[in-house]
Amino acid sequence: MVEVTVTPQSSLADRPVQIRVRGLSPSQLVTLRAWLKDEQGECFQSRAFFRADGAGEVDPGLHAALGGSYSGVWPMGLLWFLQPDTLFRRLVKRDVAGSPFRVRLEVLDGLSLGMEPREQPLASCEAERWYVGPGVQRVPIREGRVRGALFLPP
């Protein structure tokens, strides 16, 4: 049975995570896809093609992506190379304290070039990427023409 995991499943957006796929056939060609919908409902996604090792595993931190949104060894590549489905959109988190980005990770058999996140995956999981840690207080700043926010640790 194919399984994809993200460790830790919930983390701050600037912290690394480990993505691993297990249960594949040795040398099986797969596509790892990451996608999310932002607060306006816009879809962002990335994909990378991998060949499983002799144990039937894929680890983007150890195995080089053969192509897709990037190539080479990039442990966080699936999260760093998220691109919008609509040109000229930017991935921006407006509600940084209230909710995380929920990134869906999927393993697809073979090389998958389809843009729709509706293909039947072999396995999938979800990771939460938070922008504010627990207990951090957000204080709005308005002074003259200056606008911003001060984030105070607990």
Side-chain angles (χ1 to χ4, degrees):
M1 183 167 132
V2 178
E3 175 187 36
V4 60
T5 57
V6 178
T7 308
Q9 185 270 331
S10 182
S11 64
L12 291 173
D14 64 345
R15 298 287 187 238
V17 295
Q18 182 181 37
I19 300 169
R20 297 204 53 190
V21 180
R22 293 184 176 101
L24 299 168
S25 301
S27 300
Q28 182 176 352
L29 195 59
V30 294
T31 300
L32 266 64
R33 177 172 58 197
W35 64 276
L36 64 83
K37 289 201 177 198
D38 70 4
E39 294 158 330
Q40 284 75 44
E42 185 66 37
C43 188
F44 290 77
Q45 60 181 311
S46 64
R47 69 188 63 236
F49 312 128
F50 292 92
R51 187 170 299 282
D53 64 13
E57 297 184 358
V58 170
D59 181 344
L62 298 174
H63 303 120
L66 305 174
S69 300
Y70 67 95
S71 60
V73 178
W74 291 82
M76 299 287 293
L78 287 168
L79 302 176
W80 289 342
F81 291 97
L82 288 165
Q83 295 294 315
D85 285 354
T86 305
L87 291 177
F88 308 114
R89 296 286 198 178
R90 290 186 335 175
L91 184 57
V92 176
K93 183 72 172 140
R94 301 222 185 274
D95 179 18
V96 295
S99 64
F101 272 138
R102 297 184 194 287
V103 182
R104 188 88 178 151
L105 293 157
E106 299 174 337
V107 181
L108 303 159
D109 191 25
L111 299 178
S112 173
L113 300 173
M115 296 307 290
E116 289 297 315
R118 291 169 181 50
E119 299 167 55
Q120 188 61 30
L122 298 173
S124 65
C125 71
E126 190 171 84
E128 292 181 346
R129 302 293 282 171
W130 290 89
Y131 283 79
V132 175
V136 172
Q137 180 183 3
R138 182 181 187 273
V139 178
I141 305 294
R142 291 176 154 311
E143 187 66 38
R145 294 176 30 194
V146 175
R147 302 290 182 262
L150 174 64
F151 293 90
L152 298 171

